[in-house]
Amino acid sequence: MSNIGNNIKACRERANMSQQQLALKVRVGTGTIAKYESGDQIPDTQTVLKISTALDIPASELLEQELLTNQTGIDYEIEQLVREIGTKKAKLILRKAKEISEEDFLRVMQMLYEIKYHNK
């Protein structure tokens, strides 16, 4: 299996999406998704972009050598961020994040951006 095939499969499963659901969103056959995941076929650039959009992840994540996860299945980057800010702060942020709507979350992110880059 190719790295991109492994990554497509891991990201698809993480998104709780079947091969058929992904195929419908990308507008390819289910067999094509199976070939990508098995490494029998490599998607072209446009298809990689479509897959990344369907899975709501950056295309670069699909193209990484391997998705880094620890033994518990937690994304390596998330684990690193938790280490950097501390478990207590990470728990507080995550608890609050799950309580707010997507719209409110985007407003908060915009406010943080403005504080960081416009209030200097």
Side-chain angles (χ1 to χ4, degrees):
M1 192 181 293
S2 70
N3 286 330
I4 192 166
N6 283 330
N7 294 348
I8 291 170
K9 183 175 182 177
C11 292
R12 176 184 59 77
E13 289 175 345
R14 193 168 53 208
N16 293 319
M17 193 179 295
S18 69
Q19 285 183 340
Q20 184 178 18
Q21 290 169 317
L22 179 58
L24 286 170
K25 288 186 173 202
V26 179
R27 298 181 186 236
V28 298
T30 304
T32 301
I33 298 297
K35 287 180 184 178
Y36 293 157
E37 290 184 0
S38 70
D40 292 338
Q41 187 175 337
I42 304 296
D44 61 29
T45 305
Q46 288 300 317
T47 305
V48 169
L49 293 173
K50 289 178 185 177
I51 292 170
S52 72
T53 299
L55 295 173
D56 194 28
I57 59 168
S60 61
E61 191 168 329
L62 293 175
L63 300 172
E64 288 179 4
Q65 285 296 328
E66 59 185 271
L67 289 175
L68 300 172
T69 56
N70 65 18
Q71 293 171 342
T72 61
I74 296 174
D75 182 88
Y76 179 77
E77 186 176 3
I78 292 172
E79 184 180 334
Q80 290 300 107
L81 289 168
V82 169
R83 280 192 188 133
E84 287 175 23
I85 66 170
T87 305
K88 186 176 179 180
K89 208 182 256 187
K91 283 180 181 180
L92 178 63
I93 291 167
L94 289 171
R95 283 189 192 115
K96 292 299 177 188
K98 75 177 190 176
E99 294 173 3
I100 63 174
S101 69
E102 183 75 18
E103 184 179 305
D104 287 342
F105 179 77
L106 293 173
R107 280 200 304 256
V108 168
M109 295 306 294
Q110 180 64 36
M111 286 175 19
L112 290 172
Y113 176 84
E114 289 173 6
I115 289 169
K116 182 172 182 167
Y117 296 105
H118 295 130
N119 292 337
K120 289 188 173 187

